[in-house]
Amino acid sequence: MSAPPSRNPIVATAMSSKRKRAEAPTAPPPPPPPPPPGDASKAVASVQLRPRLVEKDAPELVAALNGLEGVANHGGECAEWVGRRWLKAGVHPSTLTRAHAADGADEVTVTLTCRTHPKRCPWLCTRPPLEGAVALTALCNTALAATVDALRPQLDAFLAAVPNELRPKLIFGSDVTVRRTCGVNHAIDRPAGRPHDEGGGRAGVGGVPAMGGIHADSFDGLLLCFGLCSTKLGTPVYPEANFTSGKPVWWFISQSRTGKCMPRQIERADAGRLRAWRPGTLVVLPAATAHSRPDEPDGDPAVPRWFCRASIRVALEGRKDPDARAKRLQLALLVAEHVWGDVEFAAAARRELA
């Protein structure tokens, strides 16, 4: 019997190596390279805020606004007032809806001031307060109650997302601006000749430019909302506006860190769709939403227009906290996501920070 053919060890080793490579699992492809920094900046710059607006029937609030005309001692002199309230740290914002709190009226006391004549307003410079001052206080309570109730699901979602260590340090505050104008064009006929803004604070005062056109008051995330209501000629709102002259995400990050607000104005061509106004309603929206003064002619100029703007904001206890800016921004991101209702805008801000 002849001997079996001998195997070449070199050939056998090569065949074994090929078999092992064929049986080995294939490695996943390498991840794609990150986009160049310029492309990422362009992507963030193109992100626009698309807020979720809340509309609610507000017959009680409209009736309270109309009722001010009957008790007003404005006499053509005073036509704009503001009522402010701040809660204690850790108190739920629903307390803003109560005229009196069981654990102390100091939590919900309204501080009234007159923006036209701060030191000699006929409504506020008497003791006991006149009927007009009482009516103004009641109007502030009614406006805040309506705004908080309309935004209750969003506020609850925001509070649920706040870290446990920050929740007891939250301080909720509010102010209600009440304004009376009378004339054919309410964008021109301003109370007591003082430039004002339909949505926000004292335009033209303290370095803040007067907003005569379509604008947003603030991109600070700790300013939770505006609640707008009027007896006629509702505030024009443009929820799909494009702020092409700047970068809204960067404005949001900067203003939320510092709390320094700067209104931003846009051209009408960039305003987008005008939201239809429904009489007798309260509209709740972020201060970063584009809006303007009513510019349509008043068909009944002899009847004054009463307008109110209720704002709700949140702050953190402890001004000397070295991490205050980081915590403010942390809260602002939660506001953008849960209160303003724009998850993509909040995600773009987080990507920019990363």
Side-chain angles (χ1 to χ4, degrees):
M1 179 179 293
S2 60
S6 61
R7 297 181 59 189
N8 188 330
I10 297 177
V11 174
T13 301
M15 293 179 63
S16 176
S17 299
K18 289 181 180 179
R19 189 179 299 110
K20 288 181 180 180
R21 285 197 299 268
E23 294 174 355
T26 58
D39 293 346
S41 298
K42 291 179 181 178
V44 171
S46 64
V47 175
Q48 300 287 334
L49 180 66
R50 294 294 178 257
R52 175 178 53 206
L53 276 61
V54 179
E55 182 183 77
K56 178 183 178 182
D57 290 326
E60 183 180 355
L61 179 55
V62 174
L65 281 170
N66 278 317
L68 290 176
E69 185 68 20
V71 299
N73 186 25
H74 49 79
E77 297 181 0
C78 300
E80 186 171 354
W81 305 263
V82 61
R84 294 183 175 88
R85 263 178 17 190
W86 282 95
L87 303 180
K88 294 179 180 178
V91 177
H92 195 279
S94 61
T95 307
L96 292 169
T97 66
R98 302 201 301 268
H100 300 284
D103 53 348
D106 59 323
E107 288 185 344
V108 292
T109 300
V110 175
T111 302
L112 287 172
T113 56
C114 176
R115 284 182 167 174
T116 317
H117 299 111
K119 296 183 179 180
R120 57 182 181 88
C121 177
W123 280 25
L124 309 181
C125 296
T126 61
R127 293 291 183 272
L130 295 176
E131 184 182 6
V134 175
L136 269 177
T137 302
L139 186 280
C140 291
N141 286 325
T142 303
L144 288 173
T147 303
V148 172
D149 287 343
L151 210 63
R152 183 69 63 88
Q154 290 87 338
L155 291 173
D156 289 342
F158 163 70
L159 288 172
V162 173
N164 292 333
E165 63 272 15
L166 293 182
R167 207 169 297 160
K169 299 180 180 180
L170 297 183
I171 304 175
F172 287 90
S174 63
D175 62 71
V176 179
T177 299
V178 183
R179 181 180 302 123
R180 178 188 187 271
T181 54
C182 190
V184 175
N185 192 328
H186 294 270
I188 299 175
D189 299 322
R190 301 163 186 166
R194 189 188 64 76
H196 73 277
D197 167 49
E198 181 77 354
R202 304 189 62 177
V205 178
V208 178
M211 294 286 105
I214 303 172
H215 65 280
D217 287 274
S218 171
F219 281 83
D220 180 6
L222 271 65
L223 178 53
L224 303 184
C225 69
F226 285 163
L228 307 179
C229 185
S230 60
T231 56
K232 62 178 182 177
L233 298 177
T235 302
V237 176
Y238 303 86
E240 299 171 5
N242 293 316
F243 289 84
T244 57
S245 62
K247 305 171 180 64
V249 170
W250 295 357
W251 299 339
F252 168 78
I253 292 173
S254 174
Q255 295 184 24
S256 298
R257 274 177 173 156
T258 63
K260 296 180 180 179
C261 303
M262 178 61 67
R264 301 289 177 172
Q265 192 159 352
I266 61 173
E267 300 296 331
R268 186 170 294 274
D270 296 325
R273 175 183 60 88
L274 171 63
R275 182 184 182 276
W277 176 68
R278 190 163 59 88
T281 59
L282 169 75
V283 179
V284 183
L285 69 167
T289 309
H291 60 278
S292 67
R293 303 168 186 153
D295 53 4
E296 60 181 292
D298 191 342
D300 191 4
V303 177
R305 175 184 184 260
W306 283 90
F307 163 83
C308 73
R309 186 266 302 159
S311 68
I312 301 175
R313 63 189 74 237
V314 64
L316 276 169
E317 188 181 36
R319 295 183 178 181
K320 296 183 179 180
D321 187 347
D323 299 326
R325 290 193 173 191
K327 292 176 180 177
R328 279 182 56 90
L329 188 54
Q330 183 180 8
L331 292 176
L333 291 167
L334 297 177
V335 170
E337 181 177 352
H338 297 286
V339 181
W340 295 359
D342 194 336
V343 178
E344 293 184 4
F345 187 85
R350 289 189 174 98
R351 289 196 302 269
E352 179 68 11
L353 291 169

